[in-house]
Amino acid sequence: MPLPVLRPPRRPSRSVRRRHVLAVLLAGLIVAVYVGNSSWLAGADGGRPLLLAHRGLAQTFDFTRITNDTCTAERIHRPEHPYLENTLDSMRAAFDAGADVVEFDVQMTRDGRIAVFHDATLECRTDGTGTVREHTLAELRRLDVGFRYTSDGGVGHPFRGKGVGLIPAIEDVMAAFGGRELLIHIKSNEPADGERLAGYLATLPGSWLPTLTVYGGDAPVAALAGRLPQVRVMSKAIMKSCLIHYLATGWTGHVPGTCDNRELHIPEGYGPWLWGWPHTFVGRMRDHGTRVIVVAGSGDFSEGFDSAGDLNRLPGGYSGGVWTNRIDVVAPLLKGPGPRTR
């Protein structure tokens, strides 16, 4: 019986070797991207969340079937505190309760002033009629801002007669809280409104400007940012530009210039889609002067983290910003060791 002929093992073809090399390189790249964007490896920074009080300490309302035309003052929850949104008392109460940042809304008046008020029209909350723009600041100050609030379908009005003269001008807010962290919401999409606000902010002490953030319509925010680039800003266009570029390049650790000196309001369900969420992402943005605020729900109607149950949905060790409508409830729950992180 003839012996079998032994042949040396066949070397893999060049194409097979090339595929093996590419597979190893791809696996290495996947591992590098995973490690570079892994928050559990980066770990939390030990800081507490930054608490942002929406409209100060305000009355909350039912979000069920809410639309842009819903009068929220007609559907408030049973009042648990005496404060009305966008008033000096509500802002002071928010800071006293533990807010790091207080948000308020601004509207332009007929006499060129900047009033602190949420709605474009007056009928939902006050005893006035028409739009804010149709009235002077002096006329607005005579209104009762709590006139139409009701929690029982109009049977009772717990704040009627208690809100007369409480609409402040932006000068009043700055006189009371200048130098503290404030978030200003321009409630329009008029470029002239951004120019007007920028003109006023430019008169403030320079050391105050880094404590201010402005957001709102694309056009007024762009106008303001062009004049005051040192002020942190946010709009839908700014959010879109930053996050689209980041989604394309963030896997490398690169933060695009479109994300510099911004504020990002991230709906809670969107965060996990961002490279490095939450700790690595928040840290990268912070290094570029950008503040990350997580908001509840879809982010469309100012839903916040307003209860202990809501806070349970935050990522463990999260130290970015948290949007809340009940600073009096959540601040005590989040107190603990470590500084709050700006």
Side-chain angles (χ1 to χ4, degrees), residues 1-15:
M1 180 177 179
L3 295 174
V5 178
L6 298 178
R7 295 183 177 86
R10 178 180 295 180
R11 295 183 60 193
S13 68
R14 182 176 298 176
S15 62

Side-chain angles (χ1 to χ4, degrees), residues 52-61 63 66 70 72-73 81 83-92 94 101-105 116-119 124-125 149 183 185 187 215 300-303 323-327:
L52 190 155
H54 179 225
R55 305 186 201 172
L57 181 53
Q59 299 301 317
T60 57
F61 50 85
F63 285 95
I66 194 173
T70 301
T72 57
H81 61 75
Y83 302 105
L84 294 169
E85 65 180 54
N86 283 311
T87 62
L88 295 182
D89 286 346
S90 76
M91 297 177 201
R92 186 171 295 108
V101 186
V102 166
E103 188 261 10
F104 64 93
D105 307 299
V116 179
F117 192 74
H118 177 270
D119 302 346
C124 172
R125 303 179 193 281
Y149 281 76
L183 173 60
H185 189 183
K187 298 295 294 185
Y215 78 121
D300 290 334
F301 294 107
S302 302
E303 293 180 68
W323 183 282
T324 182
N325 300 296
R326 287 302 302 268
I327 186 65

Side-chain angles (χ1 to χ4, degrees), residues 74 141 147 180 198 202:
E74 295 177 345
R141 288 190 191 274
F147 190 79
R180 304 193 74 166

Side-chain angles (χ1 to χ4, degrees), residues 215-231:
Y215 78 121
D218 294 339
V221 170
L224 182 139
R227 184 166 175 181
L228 295 175
Q230 65 271 51
V231 173

Side-chain angles (χ1 to χ4, degrees), residues 269-284:
Y270 293 13
W273 296 97
L274 300 171
W275 296 108
W277 179 262
H279 310 313
T280 300
F281 178 79
V282 170
R284 285 173 180 170

Side-chain angles (χ1 to χ4, degrees), residues 24-215:
V24 171
L25 291 176
L26 179 60
L29 178 61
I30 291 172
V31 170
V33 170
Y34 175 77
V35 171
N37 291 281
S38 175
S39 271
W40 70 269
L41 287 174
D45 62 11
R48 285 181 280 145
L50 186 85
L51 297 180
L52 190 155
H54 179 225
R55 305 186 201 172
L57 181 53
Q59 299 301 317
T60 57
F61 50 85
D62 186 359
F63 285 95
T64 305
R65 294 187 297 276
I66 194 173
T67 71
N68 288 326
D69 297 323
T70 301
C71 175
T72 57
E74 295 177 345
R75 57 191 299 170
I76 63 170
H77 297 129
R78 184 177 60 82
E80 296 180 355
H81 61 75
Y83 302 105
L84 294 169
E85 65 180 54
N86 283 311
T87 62
L88 295 182
D89 286 346
S90 76
M91 297 177 201
R92 186 171 295 108
F95 278 126
D96 289 346
D100 299 295
V101 186
V102 166
E103 188 261 10
F104 64 93
D105 307 299
V106 295
Q107 302 272 0
M108 307 303 154
T109 70
R110 181 161 58 86
D111 54 343
R113 302 292 298 278
I114 303 175
V116 179
F117 192 74
H118 177 270
D119 302 346
T121 56
L122 298 169
E123 288 85 352
C124 172
R125 303 179 193 281
T126 80
D127 53 347
T129 59
T131 67
V132 173
R133 289 179 182 271
E134 294 170 339
H135 292 76
T136 66
L137 181 64
E139 291 168 345
L140 294 172
R141 288 190 191 274
R142 292 195 289 268
L143 298 177
D144 180 354
V145 295
F147 190 79
R148 299 191 188 279
Y149 281 76
T150 181
S151 61
D152 53 14
V155 175
H157 295 86
F159 298 105
R160 185 167 289 184
K162 301 177 182 178
V164 178
L166 297 188
I167 295 181
I170 194 171
E171 292 91 343
D172 303 318
V173 176
M174 293 302 165
F177 308 111
R180 304 193 74 166
E181 292 279 347
L182 298 168
L183 173 60
I184 306 169
H185 189 183
I186 304 176
K187 298 295 294 185
S188 82
N189 197 31
E190 297 294 329
D193 293 351
E195 291 282 357
R196 185 176 299 173
L197 179 58
Y200 170 69
L201 297 183
T203 68
L204 299 176
S207 61
W208 289 8
L209 296 185
T211 69
L212 303 176
T213 302
V214 176
Y215 78 121

